[in-house]
Amino acid sequence: MRQEMEYKRFIRHLVDGPQLEKALLRLSLIFLLAMACIWALNAQTSANHTLTLSIGELALLDIEPGASSVSLNMDIPTGAGAPVQLLSDNTIWLNYTSCVAQTSPDRIISVQLSSGALPAGVSLQVTASAPSGIGQGALGISAGAVLVTGTPANVLSGIRGCYTGNGTNNGSQLTYNLVFNSYQDLEAGDYGPFIISYTISN
Amino acid sequence: MYNSTLSFGCIIVFVSVLLPVFSFSQPTLQLSGSWSCTVQAANVTEAGNDFPSTWTSPPDQVLLSVGGANAKKNRDWTVCVSRSDIDWDPAITVYVVRSSDGTANNPATIAGGAAFQQVTLLSAYFFNGSRNRSNIGIQYQLNGISVLLDARVYSTTIVYTISSP
């Protein structure tokens, strides 16, 4: 009871007491609060920092083996009246690496005849195989056989984060075929060189 | 009445002065530095290859300092490490190693943490010692980096905790 009265007197004193006493008491409380803050700040039993990893988008493509060239010739028929046999070539592979943001669209690989003109009556066809080898990820889907012209044509689509592996026997194998459109337009001769370009893009 | 008020005020000031003294009953930890790792196209050596899967920071990328550990009762301390993910991929693993001893006065000691250990979401022992020590070097390693991950910024918080036995 007596303690309670003392406590009430103390509180009343805070509000109604003499100015000097009130000021000293308030200063003491502020000092206590400040020291508590300083104590809390200095008594660090843990410390931390942020570690960040930034992965950027990329799209890389090359042809293996390096410095490749293809020669497509007509094979001499076995007998008169037999059709001309055209040889194909499948020595070239596409290797590629792709890294995309989640919101970025799928990537494609397209082919284009970027230099040279095919002779009359002849078309060039290429087929990119389904990706194989040691690669992983979303390697894409083959479009099957497409004509190689001056207009880009997709050979692979649906490519996202992936890598094919390096070198032949990894990635997509390219098979080239010559197609005769009309025999009467054919003229004997050596044609070329032609430059065929592959591009990986969004 | 005024005497009791003044006494009460003196007690408040006395306690305030003693608070910092009480805070020295456990060791404290200060940290400087951080690590930002950037992986980009130039890091792929040739088309068809993946990113290098392991990335290592320079030694002493982060420095830890132990203070408040010279009193007899809190001389020995242990540092534990964990991480708290902000925006991370569990395929990326974080490793940490103590790359240097820092500086201290004899007879201070330090031990443990000399080999890369994985930093998980759970706090685990890292290294221990006695007495104050400054600028203990920390080095990091990230594993599992690949083009198969989404291209974006990943972030996590590495947390070090010190305690006395």
Coordinates of all heavy atoms in Angstrom, one line a residue, chain A residues 28-126:
Chain A
S28 N 17.3 11.4 -17.3 CA 17.8 10.0 -16.9 C 17.1 9.0 -17.8 O 17.8 8.0 -18.2 CB 17.5 9.8 -15.4 OG 18.0 10.8 -14.6
L29 N 15.9 9.1 -18.0 CA 15.1 8.1 -18.8 C 15.6 8.1 -20.3 O 15.8 7.0 -20.9 CB 13.6 8.3 -18.8 CG 13.0 8.0 -17.5 CD1 11.5 8.5 -17.4 CD2 13.0 6.5 -17.2
I30 N 15.9 9.3 -20.8 CA 16.4 9.4 -22.2 C 17.8 8.8 -22.3 O 18.1 8.1 -23.2 CB 16.4 10.9 -22.6 CG1 15.0 11.4 -22.8 CG2 17.2 11.0 -23.9 CD1 14.9 12.9 -23.0
F31 N 18.6 9.0 -21.2 CA 19.9 8.5 -21.2 C 19.9 6.9 -21.2 O 20.6 6.2 -21.8 CB 20.7 9.0 -19.9 CG 22.1 8.6 -19.9 CD1 23.0 9.1 -20.8 CD2 22.6 7.7 -18.9 CE1 24.4 8.8 -20.7 CE2 23.9 7.3 -18.9 CZ 24.8 7.9 -19.8
L32 N 18.9 6.4 -20.4 CA 18.8 5.0 -20.3 C 18.4 4.4 -21.6 O 19.0 3.4 -22.1 CB 17.7 4.6 -19.3 CG 17.2 3.2 -19.2 CD1 18.4 2.3 -18.8 CD2 16.0 3.0 -18.3
L33 N 17.5 5.1 -22.3 CA 17.1 4.6 -23.7 C 18.2 4.6 -24.6 O 18.5 3.7 -25.4 CB 15.9 5.5 -24.2 CG 15.2 5.0 -25.4 CD1 14.6 3.7 -25.2 CD2 14.1 6.0 -25.8
A34 N 19.0 5.7 -24.6 CA 20.1 5.8 -25.5 C 21.2 4.8 -25.3 O 21.7 4.1 -26.2 CB 20.8 7.2 -25.4
M35 N 21.5 4.5 -24.0 CA 22.5 3.5 -23.7 C 22.0 2.1 -24.1 O 22.8 1.3 -24.6 CB 22.8 3.5 -22.2 CG 23.6 4.7 -21.8 SD 25.1 5.1 -22.7 CE 26.1 3.7 -22.3
A36 N 20.7 1.9 -24.0 CA 20.1 0.6 -24.4 C 20.3 0.4 -25.9 O 20.6 -0.7 -26.4 CB 18.7 0.5 -24.0
C37 N 20.1 1.5 -26.7 CA 20.2 1.4 -28.1 C 21.7 1.1 -28.5 O 22.0 0.3 -29.3 CB 19.8 2.7 -28.8 SG 18.0 2.9 -28.7
I38 N 22.6 1.9 -27.8 CA 24.0 1.7 -28.1 C 24.4 0.3 -27.8 O 25.2 -0.4 -28.5 CB 24.9 2.7 -27.3 CG1 24.6 4.1 -27.9 CG2 26.4 2.4 -27.4 CD1 25.2 5.2 -27.0
W39 N 24.0 -0.2 -26.7 CA 24.3 -1.6 -26.2 C 23.8 -2.6 -27.3 O 24.5 -3.5 -27.7 CB 23.6 -1.8 -24.9 CG 23.6 -3.3 -24.5 CD1 24.7 -4.0 -24.1 CD2 22.5 -4.2 -24.4 NE1 24.3 -5.3 -23.8 CE2 23.0 -5.4 -24.0 CE3 21.1 -4.0 -24.7 CZ2 22.1 -6.5 -23.9 CZ3 20.3 -5.1 -24.5 CH2 20.8 -6.3 -24.1
A40 N 22.5 -2.4 -27.7 CA 21.9 -3.3 -28.7 C 22.7 -3.3 -30.0 O 22.9 -4.4 -30.6 CB 20.5 -2.9 -28.9
L41 N 23.2 -2.1 -30.4 CA 23.9 -2.0 -31.7 C 25.3 -2.7 -31.6 O 25.7 -3.3 -32.5 CB 24.0 -0.6 -32.1 CG 22.7 0.1 -32.7 CD1 22.9 1.6 -32.8 CD2 22.4 -0.5 -34.0
N42 N 25.9 -2.5 -30.4 CA 27.3 -3.0 -30.3 C 27.4 -4.5 -30.0 O 28.3 -5.1 -30.4 CB 28.0 -2.2 -29.2 CG 28.4 -0.8 -29.7 OD1 28.6 -0.6 -30.9 ND2 28.5 0.1 -28.8
A43 N 26.3 -5.0 -29.4 CA 26.4 -6.4 -29.0 C 25.9 -7.3 -30.2 O 24.9 -8.0 -30.1 CB 25.5 -6.6 -27.8
Q44 N 26.7 -7.3 -31.3 CA 26.4 -8.1 -32.5 C 26.9 -9.5 -32.3 O 28.1 -9.7 -32.4 CB 26.9 -7.5 -33.7 CG 26.3 -6.2 -34.1 CD 26.8 -5.7 -35.5 OE1 26.9 -6.4 -36.4 NE2 27.2 -4.4 -35.5
T45 N 26.0 -10.5 -32.1 CA 26.5 -11.8 -32.1 C 26.3 -12.5 -33.5 O 26.6 -13.6 -33.6 CB 25.7 -12.6 -31.1 OG1 24.3 -12.5 -31.4 CG2 25.9 -12.0 -29.7
S46 N 25.9 -11.7 -34.5 CA 25.8 -12.3 -35.8 C 26.1 -11.1 -36.8 O 25.9 -10.0 -36.5 CB 24.4 -12.9 -36.1 OG 23.4 -11.9 -36.2
A47 N 26.6 -11.5 -38.0 CA 26.8 -10.6 -39.0 C 26.5 -11.2 -40.3 O 26.6 -12.5 -40.5 CB 28.3 -10.1 -39.0
N48 N 26.1 -10.5 -41.3 CA 25.7 -11.1 -42.6 C 26.0 -10.2 -43.7 O 26.2 -9.0 -43.6 CB 24.2 -11.5 -42.5 CG 23.3 -10.3 -42.4 OD1 23.1 -9.5 -43.3 ND2 22.7 -10.1 -41.2
H49 N 25.9 -10.7 -44.9 CA 26.1 -9.9 -46.2 C 25.3 -10.7 -47.3 O 25.0 -11.9 -47.1 CB 27.5 -9.7 -46.5 CG 28.2 -11.0 -47.0 ND1 28.2 -11.3 -48.4 CD2 28.9 -11.9 -46.4 CE1 28.8 -12.5 -48.5 NE2 29.3 -12.9 -47.3
T50 N 25.0 -10.0 -48.3 CA 24.3 -10.5 -49.5 C 25.4 -11.1 -50.5 O 26.4 -10.4 -50.7 CB 23.5 -9.5 -50.2 OG1 22.5 -9.0 -49.2 CG2 22.7 -10.1 -51.3
L51 N 25.1 -12.2 -51.0 CA 25.9 -12.8 -52.1 C 25.0 -12.9 -53.3 O 23.9 -13.5 -53.2 CB 26.4 -14.2 -51.7 CG 27.4 -14.9 -52.5 CD1 28.1 -16.0 -51.7 CD2 26.8 -15.6 -53.8
T52 N 25.4 -12.3 -54.4 CA 24.6 -12.3 -55.6 C 25.3 -13.0 -56.8 O 26.6 -13.0 -56.9 CB 24.2 -10.9 -56.1 OG1 25.4 -10.2 -56.4 CG2 23.5 -10.2 -55.0
L53 N 24.5 -13.7 -57.6 CA 25.0 -14.3 -58.8 C 24.2 -13.8 -60.0 O 23.0 -13.9 -60.0 CB 24.9 -15.9 -58.7 CG 25.0 -16.7 -60.0 CD1 26.4 -16.6 -60.5 CD2 24.6 -18.1 -59.8
S54 N 24.9 -13.3 -61.0 CA 24.2 -12.7 -62.2 C 24.5 -13.6 -63.4 O 25.7 -13.7 -63.7 CB 24.6 -11.3 -62.4 OG 24.0 -10.8 -63.6
I55 N 23.5 -14.2 -64.0 CA 23.7 -15.0 -65.2 C 23.1 -14.3 -66.3 O 21.9 -14.0 -66.3 CB 23.1 -16.4 -65.0 CG1 23.8 -17.2 -63.9 CG2 23.2 -17.2 -66.3 CD1 23.2 -18.6 -63.6
G56 N 23.9 -14.1 -67.4 CA 23.4 -13.3 -68.5 C 22.9 -14.3 -69.7 O 23.3 -15.4 -69.7
E57 N 22.0 -13.7 -70.5 CA 21.6 -14.5 -71.7 C 22.7 -14.7 -72.7 O 23.6 -13.8 -72.8 CB 20.4 -13.8 -72.4 CG 19.1 -13.8 -71.6 CD 17.9 -13.5 -72.4 OE1 18.0 -12.5 -73.2 OE2 16.9 -14.2 -72.3
L58 N 22.7 -15.8 -73.4 CA 23.7 -15.9 -74.5 C 23.2 -16.9 -75.5 O 22.3 -17.7 -75.3 CB 25.0 -16.5 -73.9 CG 25.0 -17.9 -73.4 CD1 25.6 -18.8 -74.5 CD2 25.9 -18.1 -72.2
A59 N 23.7 -16.7 -76.7 CA 23.4 -17.6 -77.9 C 24.6 -17.8 -78.7 O 25.1 -16.8 -79.3 CB 22.2 -17.0 -78.7
L60 N 25.2 -19.0 -78.7 CA 26.4 -19.3 -79.5 C 26.1 -20.5 -80.4 O 25.4 -21.4 -80.1 CB 27.5 -19.6 -78.6 CG 28.0 -18.6 -77.6 CD1 29.0 -19.1 -76.6 CD2 28.5 -17.3 -78.3
L61 N 26.7 -20.4 -81.6 CA 26.5 -21.4 -82.7 C 27.8 -21.6 -83.5 O 28.4 -20.6 -83.8 CB 25.3 -21.0 -83.6 CG 25.1 -21.8 -84.8 CD1 24.5 -23.2 -84.4 CD2 24.1 -21.1 -85.7
D62 N 28.2 -22.8 -83.7 CA 29.2 -23.0 -84.7 C 29.0 -24.3 -85.4 O 28.2 -25.1 -85.1 CB 30.6 -22.8 -84.1 CG 31.0 -24.0 -83.2 OD1 30.3 -25.0 -83.1 OD2 32.2 -24.0 -82.7
I63 N 29.9 -24.5 -86.4 CA 29.8 -25.7 -87.3 C 31.0 -26.6 -87.0 O 32.1 -26.1 -86.9 CB 29.7 -25.3 -88.7 CG1 28.3 -24.7 -89.0 CG2 29.9 -26.5 -89.7 CD1 28.2 -24.0 -90.3
E64 N 30.8 -27.8 -86.9 CA 31.9 -28.8 -86.7 C 31.9 -29.8 -87.8 O 30.8 -30.3 -88.2 CB 31.8 -29.5 -85.4 CG 31.9 -28.5 -84.2 CD 33.3 -28.0 -84.0 OE1 34.3 -28.6 -84.6 OE2 33.5 -27.1 -83.2
P65 N 33.0 -30.3 -88.3 CA 34.3 -29.7 -88.0 C 34.5 -28.3 -88.5 O 33.8 -27.9 -89.4 CB 35.3 -30.7 -88.7 CG 34.5 -31.3 -89.8 CD 33.1 -31.3 -89.3
G66 N 35.5 -27.6 -87.9 CA 35.7 -26.2 -88.3 C 36.2 -26.1 -89.7 O 36.7 -27.0 -90.3
A67 N 35.9 -24.9 -90.3 CA 36.3 -24.6 -91.7 C 35.8 -25.7 -92.6 O 36.5 -26.2 -93.5 CB 37.8 -24.5 -91.8
S68 N 34.5 -26.1 -92.5 CA 33.9 -27.2 -93.2 C 33.5 -26.7 -94.6 O 33.1 -25.6 -94.8 CB 32.7 -27.7 -92.5 OG 33.1 -28.2 -91.2
S69 N 33.5 -27.6 -95.6 CA 32.9 -27.4 -96.9 C 32.3 -28.7 -97.4 O 32.7 -29.8 -96.9 CB 34.0 -26.9 -97.9 OG 35.0 -27.9 -98.1
V70 N 31.4 -28.5 -98.2 CA 30.6 -29.7 -98.7 C 30.7 -29.7 -100.3 O 30.5 -28.6 -100.9 CB 29.1 -29.6 -98.3 CG1 28.3 -30.7 -98.9 CG2 29.1 -29.7 -96.8
S71 N 30.9 -30.8 -100.8 CA 30.8 -30.9 -102.3 C 29.7 -31.9 -102.6 O 29.7 -33.1 -102.1 CB 32.1 -31.4 -102.9 OG 33.1 -30.4 -102.7
L72 N 28.8 -31.5 -103.5 CA 27.7 -32.4 -103.9 C 27.8 -32.6 -105.4 O 27.8 -31.7 -106.2 CB 26.3 -31.8 -103.6 CG 26.0 -31.6 -102.1 CD1 24.8 -30.8 -101.8 CD2 25.9 -32.9 -101.4
N73 N 28.0 -33.9 -105.7 CA 28.2 -34.2 -107.1 C 27.1 -35.2 -107.6 O 26.4 -35.8 -106.8 CB 29.5 -34.9 -107.3 CG 30.7 -34.0 -106.8 OD1 30.7 -32.8 -107.2 ND2 31.5 -34.5 -106.0
M74 N 27.0 -35.2 -108.9 CA 26.1 -36.2 -109.5 C 26.8 -37.5 -109.7 O 28.0 -37.5 -110.2 CB 25.6 -35.7 -110.9 CG 24.6 -34.6 -110.8 SD 23.7 -34.3 -112.3 CE 24.9 -34.6 -113.6
D75 N 26.2 -38.6 -109.4 CA 26.8 -39.9 -109.6 C 26.4 -40.4 -111.0 O 25.3 -40.2 -111.4 CB 26.4 -40.9 -108.5 CG 27.3 -42.1 -108.4 OD1 28.4 -42.0 -109.0 OD2 26.9 -43.0 -107.7
I76 N 27.4 -41.0 -111.7 CA 27.1 -41.4 -113.0 C 26.2 -42.6 -113.0 O 26.4 -43.6 -112.2 CB 28.4 -41.8 -113.8 CG1 29.3 -40.6 -113.9 CG2 28.1 -42.4 -115.1 CD1 30.7 -40.8 -114.4
P77 N 25.1 -42.6 -113.7 CA 24.1 -43.7 -113.7 C 24.8 -45.0 -114.1 O 25.8 -45.0 -114.9 CB 23.0 -43.3 -114.7 CG 23.2 -41.9 -114.9 CD 24.6 -41.6 -114.7
T78 N 24.2 -46.1 -113.7 CA 24.8 -47.4 -114.0 C 24.5 -47.9 -115.4 O 25.2 -48.7 -116.0 CB 24.3 -48.5 -113.0 OG1 22.8 -48.4 -113.0 CG2 24.8 -48.2 -111.6
G79 N 23.4 -47.3 -116.0 CA 23.1 -47.7 -117.3 C 22.3 -46.6 -118.0 O 21.7 -45.7 -117.4
A80 N 22.3 -46.6 -119.4 CA 21.6 -45.6 -120.2 C 20.1 -45.6 -119.8 O 19.6 -46.7 -119.7 CB 21.8 -45.8 -121.7
G81 N 19.6 -44.5 -119.7 CA 18.1 -44.4 -119.4 C 17.9 -44.3 -117.9 O 16.8 -44.0 -117.4
A82 N 18.9 -44.7 -117.1 CA 18.7 -44.6 -115.6 C 18.8 -43.2 -115.1 O 19.5 -42.4 -115.7 CB 19.7 -45.5 -114.9
P83 N 18.1 -42.9 -114.0 CA 18.2 -41.5 -113.5 C 19.5 -41.2 -112.9 O 20.2 -42.1 -112.5 CB 17.1 -41.4 -112.5 CG 16.9 -42.9 -112.0 CD 17.2 -43.7 -113.2
V84 N 19.8 -39.9 -112.9 CA 21.1 -39.5 -112.2 C 20.9 -39.7 -110.7 O 19.9 -39.3 -110.1 CB 21.4 -38.0 -112.6 CG1 22.6 -37.5 -111.8 CG2 21.6 -37.9 -114.1
Q85 N 22.0 -40.2 -110.1 CA 22.0 -40.3 -108.7 C 22.7 -39.1 -108.1 O 23.8 -38.8 -108.5 CB 22.7 -41.6 -108.3 CG 22.0 -42.9 -108.8 CD 20.6 -43.0 -108.2 OE1 20.4 -42.8 -107.1 NE2 19.7 -43.4 -109.1
L86 N 22.1 -38.6 -107.1 CA 22.8 -37.5 -106.4 C 23.3 -37.9 -105.1 O 22.5 -38.6 -104.3 CB 21.8 -36.3 -106.3 CG 21.4 -35.6 -107.6 CD1 20.2 -34.6 -107.3 CD2 22.5 -34.9 -108.2
L87 N 24.5 -37.6 -104.8 CA 25.1 -37.9 -103.5 C 24.7 -36.9 -102.5 O 24.5 -35.7 -102.8 CB 26.6 -38.0 -103.6 CG 27.1 -39.1 -104.6 CD1 28.6 -39.1 -104.7 CD2 26.6 -40.5 -104.2
S88 N 24.6 -37.3 -101.3 CA 24.3 -36.4 -100.2 C 25.5 -36.3 -99.3 O 26.5 -37.0 -99.4 CB 23.1 -36.9 -99.4 OG 23.4 -38.1 -98.8
D89 N 25.4 -35.3 -98.4 CA 26.5 -35.1 -97.5 C 26.0 -34.9 -96.1 O 25.0 -34.1 -95.9 CB 27.3 -33.8 -97.9 CG 28.5 -33.6 -97.0 OD1 28.3 -33.1 -95.9 OD2 29.6 -33.9 -97.4
N90 N 26.6 -35.6 -95.1 CA 26.1 -35.4 -93.7 C 27.3 -35.4 -92.8 O 27.3 -35.9 -91.7 CB 25.2 -36.6 -93.3 CG 25.9 -37.9 -93.4 OD1 27.0 -38.0 -93.8 ND2 25.2 -39.0 -93.0
T91 N 28.3 -34.7 -93.2 CA 29.6 -34.6 -92.4 C 29.6 -33.4 -91.5 O 30.5 -33.3 -90.7 CB 30.8 -34.5 -93.4 OG1 30.6 -33.3 -94.2 CG2 30.9 -35.7 -94.3
I92 N 28.6 -32.5 -91.6 CA 28.7 -31.3 -90.8 C 27.7 -31.4 -89.6 O 26.5 -31.9 -89.8 CB 28.4 -30.1 -91.7 CG1 29.5 -29.9 -92.7 CG2 28.2 -28.8 -90.9 CD1 29.4 -28.7 -93.6
W93 N 28.1 -30.9 -88.5 CA 27.2 -30.8 -87.3 C 27.1 -29.4 -86.8 O 28.0 -28.6 -86.9 CB 27.9 -31.7 -86.2 CG 27.8 -33.1 -86.4 CD1 28.6 -33.8 -87.3 CD2 27.0 -34.1 -85.8 NE1 28.3 -35.2 -87.2 CE2 27.3 -35.3 -86.3 CE3 26.0 -34.0 -84.8 CZ2 26.7 -36.5 -85.9 CZ3 25.4 -35.2 -84.4 CH2 25.7 -36.4 -84.9
L94 N 25.9 -29.1 -86.3 CA 25.7 -27.8 -85.6 C 25.9 -28.0 -84.1 O 25.3 -28.9 -83.5 CB 24.3 -27.3 -85.8 CG 23.9 -26.7 -87.2 CD1 22.5 -26.3 -87.2 CD2 24.8 -25.5 -87.5
N95 N 26.8 -27.2 -83.5 CA 26.9 -27.1 -82.1 C 26.4 -25.8 -81.6 O 26.6 -24.7 -82.3 CB 28.4 -27.2 -81.6 CG 29.0 -28.5 -81.9 OD1 30.3 -28.7 -81.7 ND2 28.2 -29.5 -82.2
Y96 N 25.7 -25.7 -80.5 CA 25.2 -24.5 -80.0 C 25.0 -24.5 -78.5 O 24.9 -25.6 -77.9 CB 23.8 -24.1 -80.7 CG 22.8 -25.2 -80.8 CD1 21.8 -25.3 -79.8 CD2 22.8 -26.1 -81.8 CE1 20.8 -26.3 -79.9 CE2 21.9 -27.1 -81.9 CZ 20.9 -27.2 -80.9 OH 19.9 -28.2 -81.0
T97 N 25.0 -23.3 -77.9 CA 24.8 -23.0 -76.5 C 23.8 -21.9 -76.4 O 23.9 -20.9 -77.1 CB 26.1 -22.7 -75.8 OG1 27.0 -23.7 -75.9 CG2 25.8 -22.4 -74.3
S98 N 22.8 -22.1 -75.5 CA 21.8 -21.1 -75.3 C 21.4 -20.9 -73.8 O 21.3 -21.9 -73.1 CB 20.5 -21.4 -76.1 OG 19.5 -20.6 -75.8
C99 N 21.3 -19.7 -73.4 CA 20.8 -19.4 -72.0 C 19.8 -18.3 -72.1 O 20.1 -17.2 -72.7 CB 22.0 -19.0 -71.1 SG 21.5 -18.8 -69.4
V100 N 18.6 -18.5 -71.6 CA 17.6 -17.5 -71.8 C 16.9 -17.1 -70.4 O 16.9 -17.9 -69.5 CB 16.5 -18.0 -72.8 CG1 17.0 -18.1 -74.2 CG2 15.8 -19.3 -72.3
A101 N 16.4 -15.9 -70.4 CA 15.6 -15.5 -69.2 C 14.2 -16.2 -69.3 O 13.8 -16.6 -70.4 CB 15.4 -14.0 -69.2
Q102 N 13.6 -16.4 -68.2 CA 12.3 -17.1 -68.2 C 11.3 -16.5 -69.1 O 10.5 -17.2 -69.7 CB 11.8 -17.2 -66.7 CG 10.7 -18.2 -66.5 CD 10.3 -18.3 -65.1 OE1 10.3 -17.4 -64.3 NE2 10.0 -19.5 -64.6
T103 N 11.3 -15.2 -69.1 CA 10.3 -14.5 -69.9 C 10.7 -14.3 -71.4 O 9.9 -13.8 -72.2 CB 10.1 -13.1 -69.3 OG1 11.4 -12.4 -69.2 CG2 9.5 -13.2 -67.9
S104 N 11.9 -14.8 -71.8 CA 12.3 -14.6 -73.2 C 11.7 -15.7 -74.0 O 11.4 -16.8 -73.6 CB 13.8 -14.7 -73.3 OG 14.5 -13.6 -72.7
P105 N 11.5 -15.4 -75.4 CA 10.9 -16.4 -76.2 C 11.8 -17.5 -76.6 O 13.1 -17.4 -76.3 CB 10.5 -15.6 -77.5 CG 11.5 -14.4 -77.5 CD 11.7 -14.1 -76.0
D106 N 11.3 -18.6 -77.1 CA 12.2 -19.7 -77.6 C 13.1 -19.2 -78.7 O 12.8 -18.2 -79.4 CB 11.3 -20.8 -78.2 CG 10.5 -21.5 -77.1 OD1 10.7 -21.1 -75.9 OD2 9.7 -22.4 -77.4
R107 N 14.2 -19.9 -78.9 CA 15.1 -19.5 -79.9 C 15.0 -20.5 -81.1 O 14.5 -21.6 -80.9 CB 16.6 -19.6 -79.4 CG 16.8 -18.4 -78.4 CD 18.3 -18.2 -78.3 NE 18.5 -16.9 -77.6 CZ 19.1 -16.7 -76.4 NH1 19.6 -17.8 -75.8 NH2 19.2 -15.5 -75.9
I108 N 15.4 -20.1 -82.3 CA 15.4 -20.9 -83.5 C 16.8 -20.8 -84.1 O 17.6 -19.9 -83.9 CB 14.3 -20.4 -84.5 CG1 14.7 -18.9 -84.9 CG2 12.9 -20.5 -84.0 CD1 13.9 -18.4 -86.0
I109 N 17.0 -21.8 -85.0 CA 18.2 -21.8 -85.8 C 17.7 -21.8 -87.3 O 16.9 -22.7 -87.6 CB 19.2 -23.0 -85.6 CG1 19.8 -22.9 -84.2 CG2 20.3 -23.0 -86.6 CD1 20.7 -24.0 -83.8
S110 N 18.1 -20.9 -88.1 CA 17.7 -20.8 -89.5 C 18.9 -21.0 -90.4 O 20.0 -20.7 -90.0 CB 17.0 -19.5 -89.7 OG 17.8 -18.4 -89.4
V111 N 18.5 -21.3 -91.6 CA 19.6 -21.5 -92.7 C 19.2 -20.6 -93.8 O 18.1 -20.3 -94.2 CB 19.6 -23.0 -93.1 CG1 18.3 -23.4 -93.8 CG2 20.7 -23.2 -94.1
Q112 N 20.3 -20.1 -94.5 CA 20.1 -19.2 -95.6 C 21.2 -19.4 -96.6 O 22.4 -19.5 -96.2 CB 20.0 -17.8 -95.1 CG 19.7 -16.7 -96.2 CD 19.7 -15.3 -95.6 OE1 20.2 -15.1 -94.5 NE2 19.2 -14.4 -96.4
L113 N 20.9 -19.3 -97.9 CA 22.0 -19.3 -98.9 C 22.4 -17.8 -99.0 O 21.7 -17.0 -99.6 CB 21.4 -19.8 -100.3 CG 22.4 -19.8 -101.4 CD1 23.5 -20.8 -101.2 CD2 21.6 -20.2 -102.7
S114 N 23.6 -17.5 -98.4 CA 23.9 -16.1 -98.3 C 24.9 -15.7 -99.4 O 25.1 -14.5 -99.6 CB 24.6 -15.9 -96.9 OG 25.7 -16.8 -96.7
S115 N 25.4 -16.6 -100.2 CA 26.2 -16.2 -101.4 C 26.1 -17.3 -102.4 O 26.2 -18.5 -102.1 CB 27.7 -16.0 -100.9 OG 28.5 -15.8 -102.0
G116 N 26.0 -16.9 -103.7 CA 25.9 -17.8 -104.8 C 24.5 -18.1 -105.2 O 23.5 -17.9 -104.4
A117 N 24.3 -18.6 -106.4 CA 23.0 -18.9 -106.9 C 23.0 -20.3 -107.5 O 23.9 -20.6 -108.3 CB 22.5 -17.9 -108.0
L118 N 22.0 -21.1 -107.1 CA 22.0 -22.5 -107.6 C 21.6 -22.5 -109.1 O 20.9 -21.6 -109.6 CB 21.0 -23.3 -106.8 CG 21.3 -23.6 -105.3 CD1 20.1 -24.1 -104.6 CD2 22.5 -24.6 -105.3
P119 N 22.2 -23.5 -109.8 CA 21.8 -23.5 -111.2 C 20.3 -23.9 -111.5 O 19.7 -24.4 -110.6 CB 22.7 -24.7 -111.8 CG 23.1 -25.5 -110.6 CD 23.1 -24.6 -109.4
A120 N 19.9 -23.6 -112.7 CA 18.5 -23.8 -113.0 C 18.2 -25.3 -112.9 O 19.0 -26.2 -113.2 CB 18.2 -23.3 -114.4
G121 N 17.0 -25.6 -112.4 CA 16.5 -27.0 -112.3 C 17.0 -27.7 -111.1 O 16.7 -28.9 -110.9
V122 N 17.7 -27.1 -110.2 CA 18.3 -27.7 -109.0 C 17.9 -27.0 -107.8 O 18.0 -25.7 -107.7 CB 19.9 -27.8 -109.1 CG1 20.4 -28.4 -107.8 CG2 20.3 -28.7 -110.3
S123 N 17.6 -27.7 -106.7 CA 17.3 -27.1 -105.4 C 18.2 -27.8 -104.4 O 18.6 -29.0 -104.6 CB 15.9 -27.3 -105.0 OG 15.0 -26.6 -105.8
L124 N 18.6 -27.1 -103.4 CA 19.4 -27.7 -102.3 C 18.5 -27.8 -101.1 O 17.8 -26.9 -100.7 CB 20.6 -26.8 -102.0 CG 21.5 -27.2 -100.8 CD1 22.2 -28.6 -101.2 CD2 22.5 -26.2 -100.5
Q125 N 18.6 -29.0 -100.5 CA 17.7 -29.3 -99.3 C 18.7 -29.7 -98.2 O 19.7 -30.3 -98.4 CB 16.9 -30.5 -99.7 CG 15.8 -30.8 -98.7 CD 15.0 -32.0 -99.2 OE1 15.5 -33.2 -99.2 NE2 13.8 -31.8 -99.8
V126 N 18.3 -29.3 -97.0 CA 19.1 -29.6 -95.8 C 18.1 -30.1 -94.7 O 17.0 -29.6 -94.6 CB 19.9 -28.5 -95.2 CG1 19.0 -27.3 -94.7 CG2 20.9 -28.9 -94.2

